[in-house]
Amino acid sequence: MAVWIQAQQLQGDALHQMQSLYGQHFPIEVRHYLSQWIEGQLWDVIDLENPQEEFKAKRLLDSLIQELQNKAEHQVGEDGFLLKIKLGHYASQLKSTYDRCPLELVRCIKHILYTEQRLVREATNSSSPVGGMMDSMSQKYQQINQAFEELRLMTQDTENDLRKLQHNQEYFIIQYQESLRIQAQLTSLTTLPPADRQLREPALLSKRATVEAWLTREANTLQKYRLDLAEKHQKTLQLLRKQQTIILDDELIQWKRRQQLAGNGGPPEGGLDILQSWCEKLAETIWQNRQQIRRAEHLRQQLPIPGPIEELLNELNSTITDIISALVTSTFIIEKQPPQVLKTQTKFAATVRLLVGGKLNVHMNPPQVKATIISEQQAKALLKNENTRNDSSGEILNNNCVMEYHQTTGTLSAHFRNMSLKRIKRSDRRGAESVTEEKFTILFESQFSVGGNELVFQVKTLSLPVVVIVHGSQDNNATATVLWDNAFAEPGRVPFLVPDKVLWPQLCDAINMKYKAEVQSNRGLSDENLVFLAQKAFSSSSNNPDDYRNMTMTWSQFNRESLPGRNFTFWQWFDGVMELTKKHLKPHWNDGAILGFVNKQQAQDMLMSKPNGTFLLRFSDSEIGGITIAWVAENPNKAGERMVWNLMPYTTKDFSIRSLADRISDLNHLLFLYPDRHKDEVFSKYYTPPLSKAVDGYVKPQIKQVVPEFATANPDPTSGNQTYMDHGASPAPVSHVHTYGIYPPMSDSMLDTDGDFDLDDTMDVARHVEELLRRPVESQWGGQQS
């Protein structure tokens, strides 16, 4: 994190100490508005005790003033007008203060930076090394800025050499004209009498010989100057290409990777302002060198001298054009990606941006951007530069947008706000691939010119892979395709290849990132949770995390093949857990009240060592998006024996009627949340307040949850009395009933041993209820009136 960002978070005395560093000698506003630039300069390399270092300090002062003036020029609006005046005043003030003693400016800024870092370090008890002024990120930025400074000096050097070459060439041409004049005079002597001719000719011949000797020498000198200049340009272009590779192939690619992971719930990719500033510096330096090379070419054409310079200049011109083409085409990027699960007939948005647009004055003739949707095969052909005949795989409405220049931020971008995919044309699929595994991409393309139509660029960029759906029921499987692609795509891949299998720890990182983002929680998946998931994924019983470290999971295992004995895949089950938690259980998950990833046997082992009435919450193994309550109580069929009961799983539908906290409050037989916290301590803050009194003569009904087998339960774990109803109860999972009263207990379970709803059992229950209803009321309740 930049020092200034951390310094602004200081409090109390530390904040006062930081503020006291600033004043008329160096305004705090300059520190604020130029913080990134200030922290990127090499203040430490200047020796304050060496007077010969003054020229370096003077360059830094001039650059500081230039940066302030540039910042002032970009201010617009009412507030911007005042800031523009203030920043301009500070630029003049700093120039007058330090112009004659620039080393004092360096001393001042070094003191400020060192003091700020010390205050920040003391405030955070950081163990960062005292010697380093910046963290690793700032050091990387420092290296990039150092290279830009080197490029600036090299470009200034070649500019000076070019002017010197031009001056020498102009003098050479003057002398050449003189030699022509002398030759004309010698030619005119032929018309004179021999005596006059003999009198004047020797002097002219001597003068011509002197001039021609000078011209010969100077021609060689000019050729050497041209070659030296070309060699300097070659070195500048080598450093330019290296710097551009670092920025485009490292920094920009990393930003795109962060953007891709953000689609899986990773941290935000971060702003583009720093990248844009670097790209603009590249564009400016490239353009300056390109103009210098063109001027050198013009001087060569003006005065052709035989030699290798023509070939060298052609090579330089070709190289610089390649460099600027790579810069422009690579900096046409998607700032805001379209949704990766894209539903037809649904509005969506996207933003594209040209990072060098402002510097190259592209906005003087604003280009138009067009968006089309293309298939994976079409994207592959496009990147191979094969002719795709402008094919598309669908029709997007409102797919044209003009790029706008924003003066305040200096950005050139196109905001597509109301796009809609009207229709999609799918390709033929083979094997087990479903429509939710088919990937498309949005192609954004534009054309614009720079340098007064000197160069014309056709730019294209592809969005992250998009899966098109036509119904919300497809969202689950489409999300799986997107998650796998975002997590495991490699840079520079052929569209849109991803590995068919990945190591289990890699998948754990991906689903943990997704889980925390979807649930919006800092509490992710623990090692124990991941072991549970591994057991589910691989049908394993091992509790050792090391046993899964080298195991791989295929795409088919992830979301194509159903789990053993189930009719859903691993991802579908996990996604159901995320949806349920996100919509209804988030506060309880954040509180740690939900163990969740625990199987039935584990729950039984955990609860049997606890007092009666202890319960835990675990996600259903058998139902997508279900959560069940397991609790320990007496076995009604065997006196003195205890057993673990499992309630029929709750789903989103249940929680839309009554919340989890209220349901737990309703069940008096649930006393302690595992391991030993009283349920009211954990859940009471989420209970629905009691209903108000009757209004207008009406009494409001209230929904309560009842578990018939435990309807009158009020267990006391210290008591030996039975706390269940005196009817035979099944040890199978218990169903829950929404009612205004208490139903008689049902001894037959509606669920199988795994908690699955069973139609045949349900019919048995219906017949049982019908039989009970035929009995006299007294016989049903007679034994329970105590």
Side-chain angles (χ1 to χ4, degrees):
M1 187 185 295
V3 175
W4 181 241
I5 295 175
Q6 294 174 300
Q8 293 176 80
Q9 298 169 6
L10 294 171
Q11 296 179 352
D13 184 57
L15 180 61
H16 292 308
Q17 288 186 54
M18 186 270 286
Q19 291 172 334
S20 67
L21 295 170
Y22 299 96
Q24 291 295 319
H25 62 288
F26 198 82
I28 196 169
E29 291 91 339
V30 177
R31 176 70 173 103
H32 181 74
Y33 288 104
L34 297 187
S35 60
Q36 182 183 314
W37 182 89
I38 288 171
E39 293 182 30
Q41 305 311 305
L42 302 174
W43 307 103
D44 263 0
V45 301
I46 297 178
D47 183 3
L48 297 173
E49 307 308 318
N50 184 358
Q52 294 181 355
E53 298 276 80
E54 190 166 309
F55 77 98
K56 292 183 182 178
K58 182 67 166 62
R59 277 208 311 269
L60 283 168
L61 171 62
D62 292 342
S63 297
L64 173 67
I65 292 168
Q66 184 63 51
E67 290 288 331
L68 262 180
Q69 290 171 340
N70 291 343
K71 181 69 73 172
E73 288 173 4
H74 286 140
Q75 304 307 314
V76 295
E78 183 176 347
D79 294 336
F81 173 74
L82 296 174
L83 185 57
K84 181 176 184 176
I85 293 175
K86 183 177 284 189
L87 293 179
H89 169 71
Y90 289 146
S92 302
Q93 177 182 316
L94 288 171
K95 182 172 178 61
S96 63
T97 303
Y98 295 111
D99 202 37
R100 293 185 179 181
C101 52
L103 285 171
E104 289 305 308
L105 171 72
V106 176
R107 190 188 307 276
C108 169
I109 292 179
K110 285 176 73 171
H111 172 68
I112 286 172
L113 291 173
Y114 276 122
T115 306
E116 283 180 352
Q117 195 200 27
R118 177 180 60 79
L119 291 170
V120 167
R121 189 170 58 250
E122 290 173 354
T124 58
N125 293 321
S126 172
S127 59
S128 60
V130 177
M133 264 172 64
M134 316 299 170
D135 57 19
S136 60
M137 186 69 73
S138 295
Q139 288 174 2
K140 181 172 63 175
Y141 291 175
Q142 195 174 17
Q143 291 170 356
I144 290 173
N145 287 332
Q146 184 177 358
F148 274 125
E149 177 63 14
E150 191 176 345
L151 282 167
R152 189 188 69 80
L153 293 174
M154 293 170 75
T155 303
Q156 186 61 53
D157 187 35
T158 49
E159 177 66 27
N160 294 336
D161 285 359
L162 187 59
R163 288 176 182 171
K164 183 179 179 181
L165 173 62
Q166 183 175 353
H167 173 76
N168 288 355
Q169 182 166 312
E170 288 170 352
Y171 187 65
F172 180 91
I173 291 172
I174 291 171
Q175 293 302 311
Y176 181 72
Q177 294 295 329
E178 176 66 13
S179 74
L180 292 178
R181 190 179 63 80
I182 294 171
Q183 183 60 45
Q185 288 177 339
L186 284 169
T187 303
S188 67
L189 290 179
T190 57
T191 62
L192 296 177
D196 290 345
R197 179 178 174 183
Q198 288 176 356
L199 182 67
R200 298 177 61 182
E201 189 174 44
L204 286 173
L205 286 172
S206 174
K207 190 174 182 181
R208 185 181 69 173
T210 302
V211 170
E212 287 183 346
W214 184 90
L215 286 174
T216 302
R217 266 195 331 272
E218 191 62 19
N220 289 329
T221 302
L222 285 175
Q223 185 73 311
K224 184 177 184 304
Y225 281 172
R226 289 176 176 181
L227 290 172
D228 288 347
L229 180 62
E231 287 178 3
K232 285 186 176 182
H233 273 130
Q234 282 179 327
K235 290 180 180 177
T236 303
L237 297 194
Q238 285 175 359
L239 183 56
L240 255 177
R241 197 185 283 277
K242 180 181 177 183
Q243 180 81 329
Q244 183 159 298
T245 298
I246 291 171
I247 292 169
L248 298 184
D249 294 354
D250 294 346
E251 298 300 318
L252 186 55
I253 293 297
Q254 286 178 24
W255 181 89
K256 289 182 177 179
R257 179 60 181 151
R258 291 195 299 272
Q259 186 186 54
Q260 193 172 26
L261 289 176
N264 275 7
E269 61 269 29
L272 285 164
D273 293 344
I274 292 177
L275 274 169
Q276 176 165 315
S277 69
W278 289 340
C279 292
E280 287 180 338
K281 283 183 180 179
L282 279 173
E284 189 174 24
T285 309
I286 293 168
W287 198 255
Q288 287 172 349
N289 280 273
R290 187 175 187 275
Q291 295 304 100
Q292 288 181 9
I293 293 168
R294 289 173 63 85
R295 283 159 57 197
E297 172 66 19
H298 178 70
L299 290 175
R300 188 202 66 78
Q301 292 173 352
Q302 193 179 44
L303 181 63
I305 301 174
I309 190 64
E310 181 177 1
E311 186 178 340
L312 275 174
L313 286 172
N314 287 339
E315 184 181 325
L316 286 171
N317 198 44
S318 175
T319 301
I320 197 79
T321 302
D322 287 345
I323 291 174
I324 196 169
S325 296
L327 177 66
V328 173
T329 53
S330 298
T331 55
F332 182 66
I333 63 171
I334 303 173
E335 183 176 8
K336 179 187 176 185
Q337 290 281 342
Q340 287 187 264
V341 176
L342 190 57
K343 189 178 178 185
T344 55
Q345 312 294 334
T346 304
K347 189 173 78 170
F348 68 96
T351 301
V352 294
R353 180 166 162 183
L354 181 62
L355 297 180
V356 294
K359 187 58 67 175
L360 296 180
N361 292 323
V362 175
H363 56 285
M364 301 305 288
N365 185 17
Q368 182 165 287
V369 184
K370 180 182 179 182
T372 52
I373 188 165
I374 61 175
S375 68
E376 184 173 335
Q377 290 302 318
Q378 290 166 335
K380 198 177 298 183
L382 185 72
L383 293 186
K384 289 181 180 177
N385 292 319
E386 296 176 2
N387 183 15
T388 57
R389 302 186 305 280
N390 295 321
D391 286 346
S392 69
S393 291
E395 182 182 351
I396 299 178
L397 303 178
N398 304 316
N399 66 329
N400 285 286
C401 187
V402 175
M403 298 196 88
E404 300 175 0
Y405 183 68
H406 304 274
Q407 185 75 34
T408 308
T409 57
T411 59
L412 183 72
S413 55
H415 299 277
F416 293 84
R417 295 182 175 88
N418 296 295
M419 287 191 288
S420 176
L421 183 59
K422 184 177 179 181
R423 61 177 181 83
I424 191 67
K425 181 171 66 179
R426 299 191 183 276
S427 59
D428 294 331
R429 292 178 302 282
R430 299 188 300 274
E433 186 180 272
S434 67
V435 293
T436 55
E437 293 180 36
E438 186 178 7
K439 300 173 193 173
F440 297 88
T441 180
I442 309 293
L443 165 66
F444 295 94
E445 50 190 337
S446 184
Q447 177 177 309
F448 52 84
S449 61
V450 298
N453 294 327
E454 199 175 305
L455 292 173
V456 178
F457 295 101
Q458 288 187 333
V459 293
K460 300 178 181 182
T461 187
L462 297 174
S463 75
L464 292 172
V466 166
V467 178
V468 177
I469 64 173
V470 296
H471 192 275
S473 61
Q474 297 172 308
D475 184 82
N476 174 290
N477 293 322
T479 301
T481 301
V482 167
L483 178 128
W484 190 278
D485 192 280
N486 286 345
F488 309 122
E490 296 180 358
R493 64 172 171 175
V494 175
F496 289 107
L497 289 182
V498 284
D500 182 62
K501 61 181 180 180
V502 296
L503 286 170
W504 173 250
Q506 290 178 290
L507 185 62
C508 288
D509 290 341
I511 60 178
N512 185 38
M513 180 185 292
K514 185 70 173 176
Y515 187 86
K516 288 198 290 185
E518 287 294 312
V519 179
Q520 297 178 331
S521 172
N522 291 325
R523 182 192 170 203
L525 302 175
S526 66
D527 291 342
E528 292 78 9
N529 297 157
L530 295 173
V531 166
F532 169 86
L533 292 172
Q535 291 171 338
K536 180 175 286 290
F538 300 114
S539 300
S540 169
S541 59
S542 172
N543 290 319
N544 187 356
D546 292 335
D547 290 345
Y548 303 105
R549 293 197 189 283
N550 295 318
M551 293 185 71
T552 57
M553 191 171 194
T554 65
W555 165 251
S556 291
Q557 288 173 298
F558 184 67
N559 196 46
R560 192 178 280 173
E561 301 167 358
S562 293
L563 291 169
R566 307 296 183 199
N567 61 353
F568 48 78
T569 66
F570 173 84
W571 164 256
Q572 288 168 346
W573 180 88
F574 183 78
D575 187 59
V577 165
M578 284 196 302
E579 279 295 300
L580 181 72
T581 308
K582 176 173 70 174
K583 290 180 178 177
H584 301 288
L585 309 176
K586 181 165 65 176
H588 308 305
W589 173 262
N590 289 337
D591 290 346
I594 298 174
L595 291 179
F597 300 96
V598 177
N599 63 41
K600 184 179 289 187
Q601 184 59 50
Q602 288 173 326
Q604 179 160 328
D605 294 343
M606 294 163 70
L607 290 170
M608 287 300 289
S609 63
K610 298 297 177 182
N612 287 352
T614 303
F615 68 99
L616 59 78
L617 297 155
R618 66 177 189 87
F619 297 121
S620 170
D621 281 319
S622 58
E623 186 165 353
I624 293 179
I627 189 168
T628 184
I629 300 176
W631 74 95
V632 63
E634 297 293 329
N635 185 340
N637 297 321
K638 292 185 180 179
E641 183 178 297
R642 301 192 314 151
M643 61 176 289
V644 171
W645 299 72
N646 291 279
L647 203 60
M648 182 177 174
Y650 298 122
T651 63
T652 289
K653 182 179 178 181
D654 297 307
F655 292 134
S656 64
I657 298 170
R658 190 154 175 78
S659 72
L660 175 66
D662 286 340
R663 289 174 181 274
I664 289 173
S665 174
D666 291 343
L667 301 177
N668 292 329
H669 61 277
L670 302 182
L671 295 179
F672 304 109
L673 178 67
Y674 183 89
D676 55 9
R677 297 176 68 189
H678 194 280
K679 71 176 182 181
D680 289 344
E681 175 191 338
V682 181
F683 295 101
S684 61
K685 59 185 174 183
Y686 304 111
Y687 294 162
T688 301
L691 292 174
S692 59
K693 294 182 179 180
V695 179
D696 298 331
Y698 290 102
V699 177
K700 291 184 179 180
Q702 184 173 2
I703 295 175
K704 289 278 188 180
Q705 176 182 242
V706 173
V707 175
E709 286 84 345
F710 292 81
T712 61
N714 187 13
D716 180 355
T718 62
S719 168
N721 296 331
Q722 283 192 325
T723 58
Y724 49 86
M725 297 183 71
D726 296 329
H727 287 272
S730 168
V734 183
S735 63
H736 43 79
V737 179
H738 306 295
T739 180
Y740 298 108
I742 298 178
Y743 286 359
M746 292 178 273
S747 58
D748 293 326
S749 172
M750 295 193 300
L751 304 179
D752 63 19
T753 54
D754 290 321
D756 281 330
F757 190 84
D758 190 291
L759 182 60
D760 293 337
D761 288 349
T762 306
M763 296 302 293
D764 290 341
V765 171
R767 285 192 291 272
H768 181 65
V769 170
E770 187 177 358
E771 180 186 341
L772 288 171
L773 291 175
R774 293 197 192 99
R775 301 177 188 173
V777 175
E778 295 81 62
S779 65
Q780 294 183 44
W781 298 95
Q784 302 174 29
Q785 299 299 318
S786 57

